[in-house]
Amino acid sequence: MCRESTLRDRYGNEMALPSLATSISRSEGASPRALRSSGQISRDDVLASASMARLDGGPADAMRVVDVAMESGMRFQILPDRGLDIGAAWAFDQPIGWQSQVGHAAPLSRPDGMAWIERFTGGLLTTCGPDNIGVPCVDGDESLGLHGAWSFLKAADVQVRRGWVDDEIELHVTGRLEQTHALGRHLVIHRTITTRTGAASIEVSDVIENAGHRAEPIPMLYHLNFGAPLWGPGARVCYPVGTRTTPRTPYAEGKLPESEVGPVAIAEGGEYVFERQVPGPDSSGVQLISARTGLTAEVLWTRDSLPTSHQWIHPAKGVYALGIEPANAALGGRAELRAAGVLPMLDAGERRQFAVRVTVCRSE
């Protein structure tokens, strides 16, 4: 059983995002508030835990990780040195996020050309932008790599906060990212990741501020990645009625019938990408229904700041992934967007909010 709730930004303002949160079935007297007030637990972090650590050895040696574990059944890793993105994730003891064969890996100092893919670790969320999404390109005097620099930015001021909302504990992990050039671009990004007891959900809210003195491009894409066992043969992807779909890669042209059902893994096969124009903000989110796990995952996002979305499927063995990708632009690269007059821009001193939420329910 699910109930509606409201997503708020870091300033407490309601964001234009219809949302779904899981109601966890509990026996009488087992809510966090009841357990705390009765003295059966002495610390809030028994039910809502976040611990910071550093990895030891391997290609991600010394990289920071925040491990989050919630009474709701949601567990996940936050990666402060990879754009405060989300790595491995589980719901109700089932893996839900896709992990690439790269594994944990430290960020690149400069993600030129196609180098981004060499460090594409997957995880539940890899954020793309804020300088480029899609293919590498040259825009003016800037050479821009595949999918931009976000996932290679290191966060500062990373903090964990807990608080009570009615009978539940809400946990927030916050941090600040900056993309700066000594002689120009200066974007300041405040990210808040929120989860709570009683709700198997993760909310990611970003406020991007242009702290420079000229307008700057901010193409953005939230690469939400799902893998086995949640995503697999027979799993269904359900888009709202009225969604308009356009194939965006040559291999996708003949794959539209397969885009909403998990394919059989094949030895060799190319990725296929579709642009998905989801109808207005009153429509429901995109659902991934998995009979194999008995779980349904729903993806929601702020339609005002992320007006389009993309779908990525890779059926090859050893890859086998599904991407649901809310975005504010197409994937042709920044130069193409500028030439077409549709490049998203942020004026000097302006702030813009973006948010995505992943909620997991037990299928009825």
Side-chain angles (χ1 to χ4, degrees):
M1 179 179 178
C2 297
R3 58 182 171 83
E4 290 188 358
S5 61
T6 301
L7 181 64
R8 297 178 180 272
D9 66 23
R10 66 188 293 269
Y11 302 102
N13 302 310
E14 289 188 8
M15 302 188 75
L17 176 59
S19 57
L20 190 68
T22 310
S23 294
I24 304 299
S25 177
R26 299 190 182 103
S27 58
E28 186 177 354
S31 73
R33 179 71 73 181
L35 293 173
R36 193 76 160 93
S37 60
S38 67
Q40 295 177 65
I41 62 170
S42 60
R43 296 173 57 89
D44 294 347
D45 58 8
V46 172
L47 302 177
S49 171
S51 56
M52 296 190 187
R54 289 186 181 271
L55 299 177
D56 184 18
D61 186 43
M63 197 171 79
R64 294 172 294 171
V65 175
V66 182
D67 286 305
V68 177
M70 305 297 293
E71 168 267 357
S72 64
M74 185 66 77
R75 294 185 292 123
F76 56 98
Q77 295 179 323
I78 299 172
L79 309 174
D81 293 329
R82 295 296 305 264
L84 269 177
D85 279 337
I86 299 172
W90 299 261
F92 307 110
D93 295 322
Q94 297 270 13
I96 59 172
W98 172 74
Q99 303 252 358
S100 84
Q101 59 192 8
V102 173
H104 279 305
L108 295 168
S109 58
R110 185 175 175 84
D112 292 328
M114 296 294 292
W116 184 92
I117 203 73
E118 298 174 9
R119 297 290 176 91
F120 181 31
T121 62
L124 185 63
L125 172 63
T126 299
T127 310
C128 304
D131 49 352
N132 189 45
I133 61 173
V135 299
C137 64
V138 176
D139 181 32
D141 59 357
E142 286 189 77
S143 178
L144 302 162
L146 175 71
H147 278 328
W150 186 299
S151 66
F152 305 112
L153 301 176
K154 295 186 178 184
D157 302 331
V158 178
Q159 297 181 348
V160 176
R161 296 183 287 110
R162 295 179 190 83
W164 287 89
V165 178
D166 300 323
D167 290 337
E168 308 293 344
I169 303 170
E170 199 164 80
L171 187 147
H172 305 269
V173 178
T174 61
R176 175 175 52 83
L177 305 165
E178 293 191 53
Q179 189 183 45
T180 63
H181 296 167
L183 303 179
R185 186 175 175 90
H186 187 187
L187 297 184
V188 179
I189 303 158
H190 296 279
R191 169 161 283 188
T192 301
I193 299 172
T194 301
T195 188
R196 61 184 296 176
T197 59
S201 64
I202 305 171
E203 302 167 356
V204 179
S205 173
D206 293 321
V207 177
I208 302 181
E209 179 181 1
N210 183 354
H213 299 283
R214 66 184 186 191
E216 294 289 351
I218 54 162
M220 289 289 298
L221 180 143
Y222 291 82
H223 211 296
L224 292 154
N225 309 293
F226 299 93
L230 184 71
W231 172 244
R236 292 185 292 126
V237 183
C238 300
Y239 282 84
V241 174
T243 297
R244 291 183 290 113
T245 302
T246 306
R248 289 302 186 197
T249 55
Y251 190 61
E253 290 289 345
K255 295 295 183 180
L256 186 57
E258 301 177 32
S259 66
E260 296 184 0
V261 179
V264 173
I266 57 179
E268 294 183 6
E271 63 183 5
Y272 34 108
V273 177
F274 302 91
E275 186 172 346
R276 298 278 196 173
Q277 289 291 341
V278 176
D282 294 332
S283 62
S284 60
V286 178
Q287 292 188 335
L288 169 56
I289 302 171
S290 171
R292 179 163 63 181
T293 63
L295 301 178
T296 295
E298 182 168 51
V299 179
L300 296 158
W301 62 91
T302 46
R303 302 279 175 80
D304 53 347
S305 56
L306 296 165
T308 190
S309 68
H310 308 277
Q311 181 188 13
W312 169 65
I313 297 176
H314 207 306
K317 292 181 179 180
V319 183
Y320 202 84
L322 167 69
I324 304 295
E325 306 170 5
N328 66 359
L331 298 175
R334 199 171 92 185
E336 181 177 294
L337 294 172
R338 190 188 295 277
V342 293
L343 178 61
M345 300 292 293
L346 192 66
D347 288 335
E350 184 184 0
R351 295 187 312 193
R352 194 163 302 162
Q353 301 170 355
F354 304 84
V356 296
R357 167 181 277 172
V358 176
T359 300
V360 183
C361 298
R362 296 187 190 275
S363 302
E364 297 181 355

